[in-house]
Amino acid sequence: MNRDALLALFALLPVALGPLPVEARSITAFICSGDGISRSIEIPIDDQTPAPPPCSAKGCHAGSCRKRFDLSQ
């Protein structure tokens, strides 16, 4: 393999590997205000909030808990 081909392979190495994973701390959202000016906002990500508790069957309206409509009426 000649030197130019080897240099070309080393130059393409970052493309083959792709970007390294980075932990995101915020989400950037672009908002169109309608006047032709695009604005951006950053929404911080906080992973410290606990997950909400699972829904209890008493509070939810699941299909098995509801009264059935009587078609014979």
Side-chain angles (χ1 to χ4, degrees):
M1 195 180 270
N2 63 14
R3 204 164 94 180
D4 293 333
L6 190 62
L7 181 64
L9 285 176
F10 279 120
L12 291 175
L13 188 64
V15 175
L17 294 178
L20 298 175
V22 177
E23 187 175 336
R25 296 286 180 202
S26 65
I27 298 173
T28 303
F30 294 98
I31 301 173
C32 180
S33 61
D35 57 359
I37 299 172
S38 178
R39 292 176 175 84
S40 67
I41 60 169
E42 288 196 18
I43 304 168
I45 298 173
D46 185 21
D47 292 337
Q48 302 299 327
T49 58
C55 184
S56 65
K58 188 173 185 180
C60 287
H61 293 289
S64 61
C65 306
R66 289 186 173 188
K67 290 182 179 180
R68 301 288 181 200
F69 183 72
D70 188 12
L71 295 175
S72 64
Q73 290 181 350

